[in-house]
Amino acid sequence: MLFDQQFLRIPGPTPIPPSVERAMSQPMIGHRGIETSELLQSIKPRLNKVFGTKQDVLIVAGSGTAGLEAAVVNSVRPLDEVLVIVTGAFGVRFAKICEAYGIHVHRMDYEWGKAFNPEEVTRYLEQYPEIKVVFATYCETSTGVLNPIDQLGAIVREVSDALVIVDGVSCVGGVETKMDEWQIDIVVTGSQKAFMLPAGLTFISVSERAWNVIESNPNRGFYFDLTKYQNNYEKDTTPFTPAISLLFGLEQVLNLLEAEGLEEVYARHQLMMDMTRAAFRALNIPLLTEDKDASPTVTAVQPDDFDAELFRKTIKSQFGLSVAGGQEHLKGKIFRVGHMGFCSPADVLQTIAMMEIGMNRIGKEVQLGAGVAAAQQIYVKKGRENKCQFKF
Amino acid sequence: MLFDQQFLRIPGPTPIPPSVERAMSQPMIGHRGIETSELLQSIKPRLNKVFGTKQDVLIVAGSGTAGLEAAVVNSVRPLDEVLVIVTGAFGVRFAKICEAYGIHVHRMDYEWGKAFNPEEVTRYLEQYPEIKVVFATYCETSTGVLNPIDQLGAIVREVSDALVIVDGVSCVGGVETKMDEWQIDIVVTGSQKAFMLPAGLTFISVSERAWNVIESNPNRGFYFDLTKYQNNYEKDTTPFTPAISLLFGLEQVLNLLEAEGLEEVYARHQLMMDMTRAAFRALNIPLLTEDKDASPTVTAVQPDDFDAELFRKTIKSQFGLSVAGGQEHLKGKIFRVGHMGFCSPADVLQTIAMMEIGMNRIGKEVQLGAGVAAAQQIYVKKGRENKCQFKF
């Protein structure tokens, strides 16, 4: 890019707020000193509300996949039977991690773009009572689906003692998460999505039930052994060198989330989803997912009369606007617009205005401004209904 | 603001490009060391093209007004007669600076919102042959007028030996400036407008004719004495402590302007003006200036059926969007939208989308999206006409 401006609207990593950038630029501190302990003390209790849990939220230096692998190696033993609910590429990833450890994987595959059905999961568990863990994805980043994780824990518990482990990477922090109330045993997320940080931290919270399983597991690996993180958590330290700059940033992210108010943060993400979907509807461009399955953090679009890849290339070169392509068999068939983390309704309006011009440029005639107008109408309507001022 | 996002669309200071922020964060260097000399060597020749001059462009630590005052104290003596062309608040400022030094000021006052007429200036000079300097404003920030500076120098020279001194603060770097070709004797600008830097530097370039006047002037003050800056310029140093972080930033600004290409930079500003004006026209909201007088860097809007101040307050609290109000007798009657420096057509689209919602919020019913669509149409049309890709 000639001009020093980029619009990062992929479904994570997201842009970093300026105050978080500044926080991350603080001088380095000793990882075993009092400053790091104080930093951890400041951060720890504030993560609970984001996860909706009274359990400790452990912080591991690593990307989201590291967190998913830690969940697997701590809670499952080789040859154990597990069920992986696959609704897209990140469901597949859970299965691959399990397979890498010789775990016996049952897969329930859903059409990409659809959410799973919790009742089908219970029927499957009734059929295979040996299954010890159910793995599910909260927001399936590859399709923009938000799976019914709120119903999964309770319904599984009715028929099975299996642990329920959830990949919340691309939505926790942007979508309400009630780990305890929903009876989820492990929730994992990463720093580079709704947490508005660079990648490099993964967060893991573990239920009492899951701790019982983990503590009796003789092989938990070394770096990923969560009991080490738990023991150090209680002493305001970490078993291995913490990623301190990211922790500086995390503290400021928590300041921002608390200043805005978590309910407002979730309402903002819902609003941005509604605005984005209304815009594509107004432009007569099909969405991959139905409204009931749609995620507040990312929208997958399935154009039927223009080339998704040419479109992506055009808006990138024209405006520096990045949206994501499709993965696996959806490659070239969809594009995905992120609206999470450091993203406001004003950013959504701008993204739509640029995309309309991009379509026009590649010969897809859309009525310029029609998508923006539809999104503006949603903003005005929801703002009034909610009697709240969206102060972004 | 709860959320860490601000949209600074006043007519300067403008937002700072991220790479310029990073450049300004470099460790401090000694102001009399080789590093500072090398920094000045790198910057100096690259400013000439921006000013359209073969003369040296001197850099003074201070805001734009410091540069205007330096121009006055160096080129005028107390009791000298000067003509100040006043088209708005910054014309008034030139007059006030002169009056502070006991200079005999002739004022030609134009209605705020209109450009001056060069032929009227020459008629005035013919009437008052004792006038030694003509002061004029290139972009009058208070009204969004771009005055016909391109015609002023030559037409003055036909009837007078008066120096022509131009305040280019809110446009040089965003609008073509040809100091030599246009026979301007002194051009002054600041760092916080089209130069996309924080305030704190002012730039002054001086013609041969003006140097002759300055060198024979016995009282040039101390800090503002331009001969000191000129003597040090030749030695790659400065007479007083330079604002080094701003110089680090300036070097990167020049990198950005050169990478984009100055012609492209000017075309971008023109385009952003056209988009902004088309949007307000589409919304049936009056503009203060006529097309022929309009500045590519700032647009003044004069609403006839809603309260400009309530509107400004609403978009600030709603989106963190800042536009400027009116000054002096235009206070409360106009608002001014900046589109200069670190601002792209995509930013203009976003600003319009937010302003439409803001109008709606205060009860001014506009068709949502209509202004955005008009601006998008200009973008698409001009892009095609110019056969260029606006790569911002």
Side-chain angles (χ1 to χ4, degrees):
Chain A
M1 290 302 297
L2 296 181
F3 201 72
D4 193 11
Q5 188 178 49
Q6 291 283 340
F7 301 98
L8 189 62
R9 295 293 165 224
I10 61 175
T14 76
I16 314 295
S19 66
V20 176
E21 292 276 17
R22 292 194 298 275
M24 291 192 298
S25 303
Q26 289 174 74
M28 191 46 55
I29 55 179
H31 64 305
R32 295 296 176 226
I34 181 73
E35 296 96 333
T36 297
S37 288
E38 285 172 353
L39 184 58
L40 288 168
Q41 278 168 26
S42 151
I43 289 167
K44 283 169 17 176
R46 304 162 76 188
L47 288 169
N48 292 68
K49 214 177 153 192
V50 181
F51 277 71
T53 184
K54 289 181 177 153
Q55 301 299 315
D56 300 333
V57 179
L58 308 177
I59 305 172
V60 176
S63 60
T65 302
L68 303 180
E69 181 160 343
V72 170
V73 298
N74 280 269
S75 56
V76 193
R77 304 178 194 199
L79 307 180
D80 272 358
E81 288 186 37
V82 303
L83 171 61
V84 179
I85 308 171
V86 176
T87 57
F90 289 92
V92 172
R93 178 155 309 177
F94 249 150
K96 284 185 176 166
I97 293 169
C98 291
E99 285 159 4
Y101 285 93
I103 294 161
H104 177 165
V105 175
H106 297 254
R107 264 175 76 148
M108 285 186 74
D109 275 274
Y110 283 85
E111 187 187 335
W112 288 30
K114 302 223 181 294
F116 69 75
N117 179 336
E119 284 164 15
E120 287 173 4
V121 175
T122 58
R123 287 202 291 276
Y124 196 97
L125 291 172
E126 285 174 326
Q127 204 177 337
Y128 297 96
E130 287 306 306
I131 286 172
K132 297 220 166 109
V133 179
V134 177
F135 290 99
T137 315
Y138 193 0
C139 172
E140 175 50 65
T141 324
S142 64
T143 62
V145 160
L146 193 79
N147 280 303
I149 296 302
D150 55 335
Q151 301 162 44
L152 183 65
I155 208 165
V156 164
R157 202 71 75 80
E158 284 174 17
V159 299
S160 161
D161 284 331
L163 298 180
V164 174
I165 298 182
V166 169
D167 167 0
V169 171
S170 64
C171 66
V172 171
V175 175
E176 183 156 67
T177 306
K178 296 182 169 177
M179 177 175 146
D180 293 352
E181 187 180 322
W182 297 346
Q183 302 181 54
I184 309 299
D185 294 296
I186 299 183
V187 172
V188 176
T189 194
S191 50
Q192 79 279 20
K193 307 276 185 173
F195 272 90
M196 327 186 253
L197 285 165
L201 296 182
T202 181
F203 305 94
I204 307 168
S205 193
V206 177
S207 72
E208 293 289 345
R209 265 162 40 95
W211 276 126
N212 291 336
V213 171
I214 291 170
E215 280 158 9
S216 67
N217 183 351
N219 293 307
R220 295 182 294 250
F222 191 82
Y223 185 74
F224 290 147
D225 181 351
L226 292 177
T227 65
K228 292 193 178 100
Y229 289 87
Q230 182 62 45
N231 292 338
N232 281 273
Y233 181 96
E234 287 155 14
K235 294 177 278 181
D236 295 322
T237 180
T238 56
F240 312 112
T241 312
I244 287 173
S245 292
L246 292 170
L247 297 180
F248 282 142
L250 175 59
E251 189 179 36
Q252 177 57 15
V253 162
L254 292 166
N255 292 341
L256 290 175
L257 293 178
E258 289 168 8
E260 188 177 355
L262 271 183
E263 295 308 312
E264 282 296 311
V265 172
Y266 301 149
R268 168 166 55 87
H269 283 81
Q270 193 78 33
L271 176 63
M272 295 193 295
M273 170 186 82
D274 291 341
M275 290 168 71
T276 303
R277 295 176 70 83
F280 285 106
R281 288 236 164 79
L283 299 171
N284 291 313
I285 298 166
L287 298 165
L288 179 66
T289 61
E290 293 177 45
D291 282 348
K292 69 177 177 59
D293 294 346
S295 171
T297 56
V298 48
T299 296
V301 184
Q302 191 169 29
D304 54 3
D305 58 359
F306 64 91
D307 181 337
E309 291 305 295
L310 177 61
F311 172 66
R312 288 177 59 225
K313 206 175 145 188
T314 301
I315 57 177
K316 182 75 165 82
S317 74
Q318 188 72 201
F319 293 108
L321 171 59
S322 297
V323 302
Q327 294 176 299
E328 305 293 336
H329 67 277
L330 290 177
K331 198 174 169 71
K333 296 193 176 127
I334 65 168
F335 61 91
R336 293 172 296 142
V337 184
H339 33 76
M340 72 173 84
F342 189 52
C343 187
S344 71
D347 293 324
V348 170
L349 295 173
Q350 184 179 38
T351 302
I352 296 164
M354 291 187 280
M355 289 193 297
E356 288 178 348
I357 291 173
M359 289 172 197
N360 185 304
R361 279 279 151 103
I362 62 168
K364 160 69 179 167
E365 288 297 333
V366 295
Q367 193 197 327
L368 290 173
V372 174
Q376 286 174 310
Q377 279 151 14
I378 295 286
Y379 180 93
V380 169
K381 184 164 160 278
K382 299 265 170 167
R384 279 181 186 164
E385 274 173 6
N386 293 342
K387 303 262 185 266
C388 70
Q389 296 287 312
F390 289 98
K391 286 187 181 169
F392 306 131
Chain B
M1 289 302 296
L2 296 180
F3 201 71
D4 194 10
Q5 188 176 50
Q6 292 283 341
F7 301 98
L8 189 62
R9 295 294 164 225
I10 61 174
T14 77
I16 315 295
S19 67
V20 176
E21 291 276 18
R22 292 195 300 276
M24 291 192 297
S25 302
Q26 288 174 75
M28 192 45 56
I29 56 178
H31 64 304
R32 295 296 175 226
I34 181 73
E35 297 96 333
T36 297
S37 288
E38 286 172 353
L39 184 57
L40 288 167
Q41 278 169 26
S42 151
I43 289 167
K44 283 171 12 178
R46 304 161 76 188
L47 287 169
N48 292 70
K49 213 177 154 192
V50 180
F51 278 70
T53 185
K54 288 182 177 153
Q55 300 300 313
D56 299 333
V57 179
L58 308 176
I59 305 173
V60 175
S63 59
T65 302
L68 302 181
E69 182 160 342
V72 170
V73 299
N74 279 270
S75 55
V76 193
R77 303 181 195 198
L79 307 179
D80 271 359
E81 288 185 39
V82 304
L83 171 62
V84 180
I85 307 172
V86 177
T87 58
F90 289 92
V92 172
R93 178 154 310 177
F94 249 148
K96 284 185 177 166
I97 294 169
C98 290
E99 286 159 5
Y101 285 92
I103 294 162
H104 178 164
V105 175
H106 297 254
R107 266 175 74 148
M108 284 186 73
D109 276 274
Y110 283 85
E111 187 187 336
W112 288 29
K114 303 226 181 294
F116 69 75
N117 180 336
E119 284 164 16
E120 288 172 3
V121 175
T122 57
R123 286 201 291 276
Y124 196 96
L125 291 172
E126 285 173 327
Q127 206 177 336
Y128 296 96
E130 288 306 305
I131 287 171
K132 297 218 166 114
V133 180
V134 177
F135 291 99
T137 316
Y138 194 179
C139 173
E140 175 50 67
T141 324
S142 65
T143 61
V145 160
L146 193 78
N147 279 303
I149 297 301
D150 54 337
Q151 301 162 43
L152 183 66
I155 208 165
V156 164
R157 203 70 75 82
E158 284 175 17
V159 299
S160 161
D161 284 331
L163 298 180
V164 175
I165 298 184
V166 169
D167 167 359
V169 171
S170 63
C171 67
V172 171
V175 175
E176 185 157 66
T177 306
K178 295 183 170 177
M179 177 174 146
D180 293 353
E181 187 180 324
W182 298 346
Q183 303 181 54
I184 308 299
D185 294 294
I186 300 184
V187 173
V188 176
T189 194
S191 50
Q192 79 279 20
K193 307 278 186 172
F195 271 91
M196 328 186 251
L197 284 165
L201 295 182
T202 182
F203 306 94
I204 306 167
S205 194
V206 177
S207 72
E208 293 289 346
R209 263 163 41 96
W211 276 126
N212 291 338
V213 171
I214 290 170
E215 281 160 8
S216 67
N217 184 352
N219 293 306
R220 293 182 296 251
F222 191 81
Y223 186 74
F224 290 147
D225 181 352
L226 291 177
T227 64
K228 293 193 177 101
Y229 290 88
Q230 182 62 44
N231 292 337
N232 282 273
Y233 180 96
E234 286 155 15
K235 294 177 279 181
D236 294 324
T237 181
T238 57
F240 311 112
T241 312
I244 287 173
S245 294
L246 292 170
L247 296 179
F248 282 143
L250 175 59
E251 188 178 37
Q252 176 58 15
V253 162
L254 292 166
N255 292 341
L256 290 175
L257 293 178
E258 288 169 8
E260 188 177 353
L262 270 183
E263 295 307 312
E264 284 294 311
V265 171
Y266 301 148
R268 168 165 57 84
H269 283 81
Q270 193 77 34
L271 176 62
M272 295 193 295
M273 170 187 81
D274 290 341
M275 290 169 70
T276 302
R277 294 177 70 84
F280 285 107
R281 289 238 163 77
L283 299 171
N284 291 312
I285 299 167
L287 299 165
L288 179 67
T289 60
E290 291 177 47
D291 281 350
K292 68 178 179 56
D293 294 346
S295 171
T297 56
V298 50
T299 296
V301 184
Q302 190 169 29
D304 53 4
D305 58 359
F306 65 91
D307 180 337
E309 291 305 297
L310 177 62
F311 171 66
R312 288 177 60 225
K313 206 175 146 187
T314 301
I315 57 177
K316 182 75 166 83
S317 75
Q318 188 72 202
F319 293 108
L321 171 59
S322 298
V323 302
Q327 293 176 300
E328 304 295 337
H329 67 276
L330 290 177
K331 198 174 168 70
K333 295 197 178 125
I334 65 167
F335 61 91
R336 294 172 296 143
V337 184
H339 33 77
M340 72 174 85
F342 188 53
C343 186
S344 70
D347 293 324
V348 170
L349 295 173
Q350 184 180 38
T351 302
I352 297 165
M354 291 188 280
M355 290 193 296
E356 288 178 347
I357 291 173
M359 289 172 199
N360 185 305
R361 280 279 151 104
I362 62 167
K364 161 69 180 168
E365 289 299 332
V366 295
Q367 193 197 327
L368 291 172
V372 175
Q376 286 173 312
Q377 279 152 15
I378 295 287
Y379 180 93
V380 168
K381 184 165 159 278
K382 298 268 169 164
R384 281 183 183 159
E385 273 174 5
N386 293 341
K387 304 264 183 261
C388 69
Q389 296 286 312
F390 289 98
K391 286 187 180 169
F392 308 130

